[in-house]
Amino acid sequence: MRTQVAVIGAGPAGLLLSYLLHQAGVDAVVLEARDREYVRQRVRAGVCEQPTVELLTEIGLGDRLAREGLPHEGFSLRFDGADHRIALTELTGRAITVYGQQEIVKDLVDAHEERGLPLHFEVSGVSLSDVDTERPVVRYRDASGTLQTLECEAIAGCDGFHGVARPSIPDGVLSVFEREYPFAWLGVLAQTPPSHEELIYTHHERGFALHSMRSPEITRLYLQVDPAEDLAAWSDDRIWSELAQRLAVDGEFTLREGPILDKGITPMRSFVAEPMRHGRLFLAGDAAHIVPPTGAKGMNLAVADVRVLSRALVALLKGDASLAESYSDTCLRRVWRAEHFSWFMTTMLHTDPHADPFARRLQLSQLRYTATSRAAATSLAENYVGLPFGG
């Protein structure tokens, strides 16, 4: 088998890259370890930056997003028992749209299938070789267990933090930067209308909480917990009780409860591997970097990566290697900005069990400044809605 670009991973990064390449006349094959339904249904991020929405609309994948997405022109920042609105659109002229990552994946899977674009699920034993040459090779077993060899001109590793692409780069090539946080998120998906028209980020002495949503009927909520917390210890009643305490505010606010459809605990880390390219192997999305979810940057960074990568690969396959050579540097400028913003939001909003009273007073000072200074609020809003794509 031969193709121009082998794409490892059918998350939003891999699927969007494949679609962009096909629109530019470049052949690509997507390989995914999970089955089709798992890929379409796995619950992930839900906040789309404005540049992400604009790109999806530009390439013809914005119809359902426009119908079902929930545009937000601000969000609430709660602390000291009070609610403070960050007016995103007033401050920046831009907004965010709540539209689940799995919905974007569904749109991309459907677009691939409608156009007959190569998308292979349930592959296993993926290995990469000859990535230092102009003819790298991907070997894998297809859904039937048959060994396949795919020759290509470039490989895009879009297979996440635990995928095979990054480990395929020889030792000593990558520099890794990482930080683990002393807390995790317990996330729940509840069948109940949202309790507020916008997202609520809460700093509370009992720990951080976030009120979000996926649709007018489905609410997404998060609680800060210990990374070693046992999910079995969190009954539905305990979750709702803790959310009510942390989201409480002086004045009128009622937390709407309902059946919990899904729950899980996610540890938090910051991670960057650079460079994001070795030979003809290019890393994108979570394969190259992880951000804590507080800044809502993970999926949006993946979209930014593959927008740059698609252009670099199109040029490379036409004989111009300049964009491929600058791919890593171009992406990393945005990655490190997002890493800093995500770290900033995380450390400002979460209750660090190891922090001393001095650090906690500094945290409250930052929150109060952000809520009362237009300049500070504008800086937060500008990063939150998404900086313009570069490269």
Side-chain angles (χ1 to χ4, degrees):
M1 296 173 58
R2 291 187 60 84
T3 190
Q4 290 178 287
V5 179
V7 180
I8 315 300
L15 290 168
L16 180 57
L17 175 61
S18 169
Y19 195 76
L20 289 170
L21 291 173
H22 281 287
Q23 284 197 324
V26 173
D27 292 334
V29 173
V30 182
L31 305 177
E32 167 60 42
R34 302 284 190 167
D35 64 55
R36 180 179 182 276
E37 288 311 304
Y38 178 90
V39 168
R40 287 172 58 89
Q41 299 300 326
R42 55 185 167 189
V43 176
R44 292 292 187 271
V47 172
C48 298
E49 295 176 352
Q50 182 155 324
T52 295
V53 173
E54 291 171 351
L55 175 61
L56 293 172
T57 302
E58 177 187 324
I59 63 174
L61 293 178
D63 289 350
R64 195 161 71 92
L65 186 156
R67 291 195 309 271
E68 301 178 16
L70 306 175
H72 285 207
E73 297 187 348
F75 67 80
S76 289
L77 194 61
R78 289 188 177 180
F79 61 93
D80 285 345
D83 189 284
H84 310 270
R85 185 170 186 265
I86 303 298
L88 299 173
T89 304
E90 177 187 326
L91 293 167
T92 69
R94 291 172 284 157
I96 56 99
T97 300
V98 174
Y99 188 67
Q101 176 175 312
Q102 70 269 28
E103 303 306 321
I104 293 176
V105 168
K106 288 176 187 176
D107 294 339
L108 284 162
V109 169
D110 290 347
H112 275 72
E113 294 177 343
E114 288 167 5
R115 292 159 179 78
L117 306 181
L119 173 53
H120 303 290
F121 295 102
E122 299 182 76
V123 307
S124 59
V126 176
S127 65
L128 317 181
S129 62
D130 301 326
V131 298
D132 290 322
T133 74
E134 295 183 358
R135 293 290 183 270
V137 176
V138 180
R139 293 179 176 84
Y140 65 96
R141 292 190 180 276
D142 63 21
S144 70
T146 303
L147 183 63
Q148 301 285 357
T149 299
L150 178 61
E151 298 177 353
C152 55
E153 297 174 62
I155 300 173
C158 305
D159 51 345
F161 183 78
H162 298 289
V164 302
R166 191 178 67 254
S168 298
I169 296 175
D171 292 342
V173 172
L174 294 178
S175 295
V176 171
F177 306 86
E178 56 188 326
R179 172 167 296 180
E180 293 189 359
Y181 297 86
F183 28 74
W185 276 13
L186 191 167
V188 302
L189 199 65
Q191 189 173 339
T192 181
S195 305
H196 193 266
E197 63 272 14
E198 295 179 334
L199 278 69
I200 305 171
Y201 287 82
T202 299
H203 170 78
H204 192 276
E205 62 182 7
R206 297 180 65 88
F208 168 80
L210 171 60
H211 167 281
S212 183
M213 64 282 293
R214 288 295 179 269
S215 73
E217 297 81 31
I218 300 294
T219 301
R220 184 72 164 156
L221 303 129
Y222 299 92
L223 288 167
Q224 175 189 339
V225 297
D226 187 276
E229 194 72 39
D230 181 6
L231 185 61
W234 286 86
S235 65
D236 291 4
D237 288 343
R238 183 185 178 191
I239 290 171
W240 287 118
S241 174
E242 193 66 30
L243 283 165
Q245 292 181 75
R246 298 190 194 183
L247 290 169
V249 67
D250 296 336
E252 294 185 6
F253 175 75
T254 301
L255 178 64
R256 294 175 175 171
E257 300 183 12
I260 292 180
L261 308 175
D262 181 75
K263 57 184 172 182
I265 293 178
T266 304
M268 300 176 68
R269 64 159 60 91
S270 298
F271 174 90
V272 180
E274 55 179 67
M276 292 170 57
R277 173 207 177 198
H278 177 66
R280 289 292 181 101
L281 170 58
F282 299 81
L283 304 180
D286 288 358
H289 43 73
I290 298 286
V291 291
T294 326
K297 293 290 162 240
M299 178 187 67
N300 294 290
L301 270 183
V303 169
D305 286 349
V306 300
R307 178 184 176 275
V308 176
L309 182 54
S310 64
R311 297 180 177 189
L313 289 172
V314 170
L316 178 65
L317 298 176
K318 292 180 179 179
D320 180 1
S322 59
L323 293 179
E325 291 169 355
S326 64
Y327 165 71
S328 181
D329 288 341
T330 300
C331 289
L332 285 169
R333 284 196 292 272
R334 188 185 188 90
V335 167
W336 279 111
R337 176 86 296 275
E339 290 283 353
H340 182 272
F341 178 69
S342 300
W343 166 86
F344 165 76
M345 289 284 284
T346 300
T347 55
M348 180 174 68
L349 288 164
H350 289 72
T351 302
D352 187 342
H354 308 300
D356 59 26
F358 181 82
R360 292 181 180 178
R361 291 295 190 278
L362 292 178
Q363 193 176 27
L364 281 172
S365 175
Q366 180 64 59
L367 283 161
R368 291 165 181 161
Y369 176 61
T370 301
T372 57
S373 164
R374 185 177 181 88
T378 300
S379 176
L380 188 156
E382 182 181 55
N383 282 272
Y384 194 83
V385 300
L387 298 171
F389 285 138

